[in-house]
Amino acid sequence: MKSNNNNNTKLILLHPYVQKQGSSNRLWLLAFVSFFTIAFLVTLIYTRESLPTKSTAALAAAATSSSISTTAPLPTTVINTLLHYASRSNDSFHMSYSEIKPISDVLRKCSSPCNFLVFGLTHETLLWKALNHNGRTVFIDENRYYAAYFEELHPEVDVFDVQYTTKMGEFRELIASTRDQIHNECKPVQNLLFSECKLGINDLPNHVYEVDWDVILIDGPRGDGPEGPGRMTPIFTSGVLARSKKGGNGKTHIFVHDYYRDVEKVYGDEFLCRENLVEANDMLAHFVVEKMDENSYQFCSNKTSKSASSSSSS
C-alpha cells in the first residue's frame, strides 16, 4: 500500500509537469498553425492584389497596341479597294482612276499627320477623308445648306462654307486687277485673314489660315457658265497659303481638277506657275509650290511682274 501511495504521490507530483508540458505543446501547435494561417492569408492577399496590377499592365499594353494600330497607315489593299470602287461609281461626275491615283499617292507619302484642304464637296469627299487616315482633312464648299446637311450626315467630316463674290465672266478683269495689286493686297506672301484682295478668301475660320497645308485639292466651286463663281479664288488662295507657310514641310502639293478649262489653266499658270507643274492632263494638274520669303512680290520666278513695269512707265 505504501508503494501504491508512493506511486500515487509520484503521479500527483508529476501531474503538474505533464500538464505544463502538454500545454506548451499545444501552444507550439497553435503558434505553428497560426503562423502558416497568417502566411497563407498574406500570400492570398498579395496574389489577389497583384492580379489587378497585371490586368492593368495588360490593358495598358493593349491600349498602346490599339493606339499604334490607329496611327498606322492604311494598308495598301485597303487603299486599292477604295480607289477601285470610287472610280467605278455610277455617278456621272465621279473622278476616274487615273485622276484619283496621283492624289492618293501624294497622301500616302505625306508625313503623318497630313494636312489636306479640299475645295468642293464632291462624290469623292468621303474617299479623301478615308485616304488621309490619321490626318486633318477640311472641306470648303459654296453651298452653306449642303455643307450643313453633309456635316449632319457625316459629323466626322469638317466642312466650312464660303460665299464667293466672283463670276466666271470676270476672270480676265480679276487677273489684271490682281497683277496691279501684287505689291499690296494681292502679294504672294500674306495673311489672307486680313486681305482685301478680290481673289483672296478671307472669311474662313481663323484656324484654317494657321494650318500649314501639305496637300490642297481644288475641285470646286462650280465653273460652268459666266455666272458661276469659278475657281479663280481657290487657285489664288491656295497659291498664297502655300507660299505663306510658317513651318512644316516647305512644299505644298496642289491639285487642280478640270484643268482643260480656260480658268483652271490660266489661273493655274498665273498663280501656281508652270515651273511648279509636275504632271498634267486635261482633267488634273499637279503643282508643287514652295514657301517664299515675305518680301517676295511675284508668284512665278520666270515671270516679270507686270505691275512693276506698269508702275515704272507711269
Side-chain angles (χ1 to χ4, degrees):
M1 295 292 298
K2 185 176 179 178
S3 60
N4 289 337
N5 291 334
N6 290 338
N7 290 337
N8 291 335
T9 303
K10 288 181 179 179
L11 286 173
I12 293 172
L13 291 173
L14 287 173
H15 181 70
Y17 173 76
V18 171
Q19 186 177 22
K20 182 177 180 182
Q21 190 169 9
S23 299
S24 177
N25 289 338
R26 282 196 296 273
L27 289 173
W28 276 105
L29 180 61
L30 287 172
F32 181 82
V33 171
S34 299
F35 172 79
F36 278 97
T37 301
I38 293 171
F40 172 77
L41 290 173
V42 169
T43 303
L44 179 62
I45 292 171
Y46 175 80
T47 303
R48 291 186 64 183
E49 288 183 346
S50 66
L51 285 175
T53 304
K54 292 181 180 179
S55 300
T56 303
L59 288 172
T64 304
S65 175
S66 176
S67 65
I68 292 174
S69 64
T70 56
T71 57
L74 282 176
T76 303
T77 52
V78 174
I79 294 175
N80 290 339
T81 302
L82 289 172
L83 299 187
H84 172 82
Y85 286 105
S87 62
R88 282 161 176 74
S89 167
N90 292 327
D91 192 320
S92 58
F93 297 103
H94 75 273
M95 285 187 178
S96 65
Y97 181 84
S98 61
E99 296 165 65
I100 297 174
K101 187 65 163 60
I103 303 170
S104 171
D105 289 344
V106 169
L107 289 173
R108 189 175 181 182
K109 295 174 184 177
C110 185
S111 58
S112 183
C114 185
N115 296 318
F116 186 23
L117 180 63
V118 183
F119 288 92
L121 288 174
T122 65
H123 172 79
E124 290 78 26
T125 295
L126 295 180
L127 174 68
W128 303 138
K129 173 68 177 176
L131 290 178
N132 191 26
H133 187 56
N134 299 318
R136 174 187 298 180
T137 307
V138 172
F139 297 89
I140 310 295
D141 196 74
E142 61 180 303
N143 190 324
R144 67 172 62 183
Y145 302 106
Y146 183 63
Y149 170 74
F150 193 93
E151 199 168 31
E152 185 178 351
L153 284 180
H154 306 282
E156 75 280 5
V157 177
D158 292 326
V159 184
F160 301 105
D161 66 276
V162 61
Q163 301 303 308
Y164 294 103
T165 59
T166 55
K167 293 183 179 180
M168 285 275 294
E170 305 170 335
F171 86 94
R172 297 194 186 277
E173 298 171 21
L174 287 169
I175 206 169
S177 65
T178 302
R179 288 170 179 168
D180 290 337
Q181 292 292 317
I182 201 169
H183 283 269
N184 299 304
E185 296 295 339
C186 300
K187 57 186 179 182
V189 179
Q190 60 170 302
N191 186 343
L192 287 168
L193 185 61
F194 306 104
S195 177
E196 295 298 329
C197 183
K198 291 182 180 179
L199 286 179
I201 300 175
N202 61 4
D203 58 349
L204 293 173
N206 292 9
H207 68 271
V208 174
Y209 301 101
E210 297 169 359
V211 175
D212 291 321
W213 299 104
D214 299 299
V215 186
I216 301 176
L217 170 62
I218 301 164
D219 200 11
R222 291 171 293 117
D224 49 345
E227 295 301 313
R231 297 177 184 172
M232 300 86 72
T233 309
I235 292 174
F236 173 85
T237 298
S238 298
V240 172
L241 289 174
R243 292 175 174 87
S244 305
K245 292 171 75 168
K246 301 299 182 184
N249 191 338
K251 297 181 178 180
T252 305
H253 294 265
I254 302 177
F255 293 91
V256 180
H257 195 223
D258 299 319
Y259 191 61
Y260 67 92
R261 300 191 299 204
D262 288 342
V263 167
E264 281 76 2
K265 189 177 292 290
V266 170
Y267 274 70
D269 292 351
E270 181 76 18
F271 300 114
L272 304 179
C273 307
R274 276 276 178 176
E275 67 209 49
N276 299 322
L277 186 61
V278 175
E279 184 180 8
N281 53 45
D282 285 345
M283 296 305 298
L284 189 71
H286 177 195
F287 297 86
V288 178
V289 181
E290 297 191 32
K291 64 181 179 181
M292 296 173 64
D293 183 83
E294 62 181 355
N295 295 318
S296 300
Y297 294 103
Q298 61 182 40
F299 285 85
C300 307
S301 61
N302 60 358
K303 285 185 179 182
T304 303
S305 174
K306 294 186 178 182
S307 60
S309 60
S310 62
S311 61
S312 62
S313 61
S314 60

